[in-house]
């Protein structure tokens, strides 16, 4: 059986490390690769895959595109408006989103209590998934700080469709205050300006979805505040993918250890 992570860029992805570690730990003779697929190329790639292909991990810029190539989608993928997982079944490919439950698991693992008020930096597909995770944990107020309000439209629609219906405000990434129990950064490290880092200093907990380069400016300034990392998210969402692809329980500890070793660090 074969699986792969698809995206552009994709050479930096830790997904092959995590999934291969899971195969080794469970004795599966499966193959997992990284394939560069540009925006607009997912449908053609998927159509050409042979019967040996079982699962695909989908990263940027293909997460919203993945819904269009699937015969069916899970409720969470439909809610998020994006899929990071494609699983081949007897009826074709089905789309799922393990980013949302993966973020829920990562937040529960690292934070002393669920956040009630949070600020999310960015408005793309990952922002939508983390916002929905916060909804699942009971957050009642979310602020999205973005460069362009139009970029957050799909994320706002996803939050509005969640049964929790938290209060939501959209503000400027460049100027607005960062408030709440938690700040979630879904923006690249190079976009974390000194001014933005300073505005985040008063928030008591940080979730930065980036895992490389490390530490990001926000993480470097976090001090001893509770911290949820991109590796935490990656490991939990990959473990859920592994189970969807194989039908087996994921060896979470082995996957985490492989990711830490690949990045040359530990918690």
């Amino acid at each position: 059986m074969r699986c792969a992570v698809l995206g552009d860029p994709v050479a930096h992805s830790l997904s092959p490390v995590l999934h291969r570690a899971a195969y080794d730990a469970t004795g599966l003779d499966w193959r997992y690769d990284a394939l560069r697929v540009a925006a607009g190329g997912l449908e053609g790639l998927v159509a050409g895959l042979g019967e040996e292909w079982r699962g695909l991990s989908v990263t940027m810029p293909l997460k919203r595109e993945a819904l269009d190539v699937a015969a069916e989608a899970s409720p969470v993928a439909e809610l998020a408006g994006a899929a990071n997982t494609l699983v081949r079944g007897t009826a074709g490919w089905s789309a799922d989103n393990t980013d949302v439950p993966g973020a829920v698991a990562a937040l529960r693992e690292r934070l002393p209590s669920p956040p009630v008020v949070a600020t999310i930096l960015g408005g793309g597909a990952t922002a939508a998934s983390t916002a929905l995770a916060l909804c699942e944990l009971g957050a009642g107020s979310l602020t999205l700080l973005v460069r362009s309000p139009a970029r957050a439209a799909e994320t706002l629609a996803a939050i509005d469709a969640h049964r929790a219906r938290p209060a939501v405000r959209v503000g400027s990434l460049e100027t607005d205050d960062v408030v709440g129990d938690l700040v979630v950064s879904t923006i690249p490290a190079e976009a974390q300006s000194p001014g933005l880092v300073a505005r985040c200093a008063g928030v008591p907990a940080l979730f930065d979805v980036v895992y490389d380069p490390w530490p990001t400016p926000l993480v470097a300034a976090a001090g001893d505040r509770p911290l949820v990392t991109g590796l935490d998210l990656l490991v939990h969402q990959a473990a859920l993918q592994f189970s969807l692809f194989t039908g087996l329980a994921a060896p979470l500890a082995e996957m985490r250890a492989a990711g830490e070793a690949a990045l040359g660090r530990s918690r």
Side-chain angles (χ1 to χ4, degrees), residues 114-120 134 138-143 167 178-183 203-205:
V116 177
V117 179
T119 294
I120 300 173
L134 291 169
S141 177
L142 301 176
T143 297
V178 179
V179 298
D181 312 309
L182 173 74
V183 56
V203 179

Side-chain angles (χ1 to χ4, degrees), residues 97-248:
N97 185 312
T98 66
D99 281 334
V100 175
V104 169
L107 287 161
R108 282 177 171 158
E109 180 180 45
R110 299 298 185 191
L111 298 185
S113 60
V116 177
V117 179
T119 294
I120 300 173
L121 311 180
T126 303
S129 294
T130 53
L132 292 174
L134 291 169
C135 290
E136 289 291 317
L137 291 170
S141 177
L142 301 176
T143 297
L144 301 181
L145 298 187
V146 294
R147 286 194 176 90
S148 169
R151 176 166 166 73
E154 290 177 307
T155 295
L156 289 172
I159 298 170
D160 187 61
H162 192 278
R163 63 186 182 280
R165 298 290 296 274
V168 183
R169 184 181 72 85
V170 178
S172 168
L173 185 63
E174 284 76 19
T175 60
D176 277 25
D177 291 337
V178 179
V179 298
D181 312 309
L182 173 74
V183 56
V184 181
S185 176
T186 70
I187 62 176
E190 58 267 26
Q192 298 176 10
S193 67
L196 178 60
V197 172
R199 282 185 284 130
C200 293
V203 179
L206 169 66
F207 181 6
D208 194 329
V209 305
V210 173
Y211 61 83
D212 187 32
W214 187 267
T216 65
L218 281 169
V219 171
D224 60 358
R225 287 181 285 171
L227 174 64
V228 187
T229 73
L231 182 59
D232 294 328
L233 171 60
L234 186 67
V235 168
H236 280 288
Q237 67 83 19
L240 293 166
Q241 284 183 337
F242 173 84
S243 295
L244 288 171
F245 295 164
T246 68
L248 302 176

Side-chain angles (χ1 to χ4, degrees), residues 1-3 19 22-23 26 28-32 54-55 87-88 238-251:
M1 290 290 186
R2 296 189 63 182
C3 299
H19 284 265
Y23 298 162
T26 55
L28 284 180
D29 185 21
W30 285 33
R31 177 176 168 182
Y32 192 103
R54 173 61 179 168
V87 184
R88 192 175 216 155
L240 293 166
Q241 284 183 337
F242 173 84
S243 295
L244 288 171
F245 295 164
T246 68
L248 302 176

Side-chain angles (χ1 to χ4, degrees), residues 34-70:
L35 304 178
R36 183 179 178 185
V37 180
L42 185 60
E43 183 177 5
L45 183 283
V46 170
L49 296 179
E51 292 297 323
E52 73 275 17
W53 286 87
R54 173 61 179 168
L56 301 171
S57 307
V58 182
T59 187
M60 298 304 293
L62 306 172
K63 290 185 177 182
R64 301 201 191 278
E65 198 173 321
L67 288 176
D68 296 330
V69 306

